[in-house]
Amino acid sequence: MNISPLAQWGLPDAQRPIVIAGPCSAESEEQMLATARGLAGTHVTIFRAGIWKPRTRPGSFEGYGSRALDWLRTVKKETGLWTATEVASPKHVYEALRTQVDLIWIGARTSANPFAVQEIADALKGVDIPVLVKNPVNPDVDLWQGAIERLADTGLHRLGAVHRGFSSSGKSLYRNEPQWQLPIELRRRLPQLPMFCDPSHIAGNTEWIEDLVLRAISLDYHGLMIETHCNPAVALSDAKQQLTPDQLRKLLARVVVPKTTSESPDFQRKLSELRAGIDECDRELLELLAKRMEIVLQIGQIKKENNIAVLQTGRWDAIVKTIHERAEQYHFSTEFVDKVFKAIHQESIDKQQHLIIGD
Ligand code: PEP
Ligand code: MN
């Protein structure tokens, strides 16, 4: 896949993190200009605004549509900021291109739909515009990668991903659970892909944005998309999560960007020594797991001979209780040990079932 690094995107300023900011929705020319004037002259280089808004229920504000594109153009003319908006159909693409929007993004609901993504990709054939792909609402890294591949297949090369969190059915503090391992996996698969974080849609409020920004920066994200409104209290959508331009400016001033690496020989030497230690731990962990699985198979064998069910709930319960007690001793969270031991338990069940039932 041919993906250009951000340094080759032709951005007005490619200093990391690249910041995209602006209102959830374009509401009026005054609101757009007031917000953009507050952002101009800060570290923000790209002005975002939703023109067509995907809303969960009908009857909510769905954006002003095409006429709001003129407001975006006015912002560009007056401030010099790049402009960006969300597209969800070929019609949106044609209109955004006609009004010279500089960057477009595909929203979380759309990136979950391969038909819609393919139609957008087809509409972009022969066009050279940067496109960001938000993660699909459901935590499916293949679907996210697939959307990016559909766009790359049409010849687009200025492509990036936006991590905006995932819907969850359970109770969550976040509006959309971050599930940081998913974007990490996407970057492992597509190492050249620029990665943005949208803390606004992850948090759903303004209090946690700074914490999320710091986390994203520590994970070496390339950019941020942060919803910003000149008067958030009266915003027609996502009022609770939008910062004022002044709040955003102060937040960005507090953020210290870490370096990707250091050439210092002392740092490099210490790092390789410690990494050798990690590699040894990983080798021992695997060896121990293999030893455990050997015993699991021996137990499977006697269960088979005595016609005993694989799952023994009482025994599993006892293991969980012991593990929770020990987790405390080693300062591990119960969530962490639960995840690790549930994975081990499931693999043990699979091995015994394979022995008893076959494939
Ligand atoms: C948005 O950026 O305003 C938006 C609708 O985002 P998402 O697709 O992440 O919900
Ligand atoms: Mn929004």
Side-chain angles (χ1 to χ4, degrees), residues 29-30 32-38 40-41 70-81 83:
E29 189 169 69
E30 296 70 42
M32 295 274 274
L33 278 172
T35 309
R37 284 180 189 138
D70 292 332
W71 307 333
L72 211 47
R73 196 152 47 174
T74 309
V75 164
K76 182 172 167 173
K77 214 183 297 163
E78 193 175 302
T79 63
L81 291 164
T83 53

Side-chain angles (χ1 to χ4, degrees), residues 50-281:
I51 303 291
W52 303 276
K53 299 303 298 177
R55 305 311 300 275
T56 306
R57 306 269 312 274
S60 320
F61 173 64
E62 295 189 328
Y64 280 111
S66 314
R67 71 189 164 112
L69 285 167
D70 292 332
W71 307 333
L72 211 47
R73 196 152 47 174
T74 309
V75 164
K76 182 172 167 173
K77 214 183 297 163
E78 193 175 302
T79 63
L81 291 164
W82 268 30
T83 53
T85 198
E86 171 177 345
V87 294
S89 69
K91 173 182 173 286
H92 297 167
V93 170
Y94 298 135
E95 296 202 9
L97 292 176
R98 193 160 44 77
T99 44
Q100 280 137 31
V101 169
D102 297 293
L103 176 153
I104 51 181
W105 79 84
I106 296 182
R109 293 156 195 79
T110 311
S111 64
N113 178 350
F115 285 135
V117 175
Q118 192 57 54
E119 283 185 357
I120 293 170
D122 292 343
L124 284 167
K125 220 176 179 73
V127 180
D128 181 10
I129 187 170
V131 184
L132 303 182
V133 181
K134 288 204 171 192
N135 64 256
V137 276
N138 47 323
D140 183 337
V141 74
D142 289 317
L143 204 51
W144 197 1
Q145 181 178 358
I148 293 158
E149 284 167 347
R150 285 177 198 280
L151 295 164
D153 284 350
T154 66
L156 290 159
H157 60 99
R158 286 185 286 172
L159 292 170
V162 184
H163 171 212
R164 51 76 80 194
F166 301 86
S167 296
S168 64
S169 51
K171 227 173 46 200
S172 169
L173 288 175
Y174 296 100
R175 179 176 177 196
N176 291 291
E177 274 291 320
Q179 301 209 31
W180 297 99
Q181 277 299 325
L182 265 110
I184 289 176
E185 172 59 14
L186 185 70
R187 285 175 77 183
R188 194 188 62 76
R189 296 183 189 183
L190 304 173
Q192 66 285 47
L193 186 74
M195 178 64 75
F196 288 72
C197 180
D198 170 348
S200 311
H201 288 89
I202 294 178
N205 61 47
T206 50
E207 293 99 277
W208 300 338
I209 291 184
E210 184 156 349
D211 177 72
L212 288 162
V213 165
L214 292 176
R215 282 171 204 277
I217 297 287
S218 81
L219 294 174
D220 202 28
Y221 279 49
H222 303 80
L224 302 164
M225 182 189 272
I226 304 179
E227 284 190 341
T228 316
H229 191 292
C230 54
N231 187 0
V234 300
L236 297 178
S237 59
D238 289 350
K240 285 210 302 258
Q241 70 193 32
Q242 305 203 57
L243 296 174
T244 62
D246 195 45
Q247 286 171 326
L248 179 65
R249 193 177 44 76
K250 289 185 178 138
L251 185 155
L252 292 174
R254 287 192 293 269
V255 173
V256 180
V257 183
K259 292 179 287 186
T260 309
T261 186
S262 161
E263 295 307 318
S264 146
D266 190 43
F267 169 79
Q268 289 294 346
R269 185 183 45 76
K270 282 192 187 134
L271 186 67
S272 6
E273 269 170 32
L274 291 167
R275 282 187 172 162
I278 294 272
D279 291 346
E280 180 55 18
C281 285

Side-chain angles (χ1 to χ4, degrees), residues 2-11 14 157-158:
N2 173 27
I3 295 178
S4 298
L6 274 174
Q8 290 166 24
W9 281 31
L11 287 159
H157 60 99
R158 286 185 286 172

